[in-house]
């Protein structure tokens, strides 16, 4: 009897030890840290205009100029379609606070140059499937008269030239060369800077055609 009791006691101890070991092995390890967000989602919402150095006389890559861009009305266009015009490119998104403040100011500038050789293009960095309704509503609410399209990741990366902050503005001369670019929005300076860049491009074109 005493042997049976001893056998049962040893069996209980062994089972308890195995259970404890199993519990330790099955304990869930802490989850790994999340991966860094993709570049498009990490775009900063800058509120102050930051010049990107002196005027850049380089042209945008031919591949970009000839790349088909999808407009919000499902048509397509290329930057090369507007050769011979001064091209204003605004990179923006509906979630960007400075962009929302900038659009009304830029709309005033666009109307001032109606009928002249200037093309105004706004490219949103948002997902065309997930954000279509928001972008269309934004365009209606703000009476956004720019040619609005979607900037795929590669297009946005090339246009922004390594600077992730939005809004960004580029102005191209009639020969496709970048006259100036800047990131952010300034209520005091952005509109005047845009006018000055457009006038520079138009003047150079007029001088070349004389």
């Amino acid at each position: 009897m005493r042997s049976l009791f001893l056998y049962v006691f040893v069996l209980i101890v062994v089972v308890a030890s195995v259970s404890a070991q199993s519990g330790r092995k099955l304990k869930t390890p802490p989850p790994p840290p999340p991966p860094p967000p993709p570049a498009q989602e990490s775009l900063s919402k800058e509120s102050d205009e930051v010049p990107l150095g002196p005027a850049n006389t380089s042209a945008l890559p031919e591949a970009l100029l000839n790349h088909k861009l999808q407009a919000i009305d499902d048509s397509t266009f290329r930057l090369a379609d507007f050769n011979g015009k001064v091209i204003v490119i605004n990179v923006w998104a509906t979630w960007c606070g400075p962009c929302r403040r900038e659009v009304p100011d830029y709309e005033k500038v666009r109307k001032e140059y109606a009928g002249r050789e200037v093309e105004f293009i706004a490219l949103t960095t948002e997902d065309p499937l997930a954000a279509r309704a928001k972008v269309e509503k934004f365009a209606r609410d703000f009476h956004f008269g720019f040619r609005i399209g979607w900037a795929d990741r590669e297009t946005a990366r090339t246009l922004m030239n390594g600077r992730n902050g939005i809004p960004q503005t580029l102005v191209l001369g009639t020969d496709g060369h970048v006259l100036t670019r800047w990131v952010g929005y300034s209520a005091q300076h952005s509109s005047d800077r845009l006018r000055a860049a457009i006038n520079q491009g138009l003047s150079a074109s007029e001088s070349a055609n004389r």
Side-chain angles (χ1 to χ4, degrees), residues 59-77:
L60 292 178
E62 285 293 325
L64 176 59
L65 293 173
N66 288 292
H67 177 61
K68 281 189 177 181
L69 300 168
Q70 181 185 357
I72 61 171
D73 63 1
D74 290 328
S75 63
T76 60
F77 64 93

Side-chain angles (χ1 to χ4, degrees), residues 37-58:
Q40 184 169 313
E41 295 179 4
S42 68
L43 296 173
S44 62
K45 304 174 186 179
E46 299 188 26
S47 57
D48 296 321
E49 184 185 79
V50 180
L52 300 183
N56 183 349
T57 58
S58 64

Side-chain angles (χ1 to χ4, degrees), residues 22-43:
S22 300
R24 280 195 291 271
K25 289 178 181 178
L26 294 175
K27 186 176 180 181
T28 305
Q40 184 169 313
E41 295 179 4
S42 68
L43 296 173

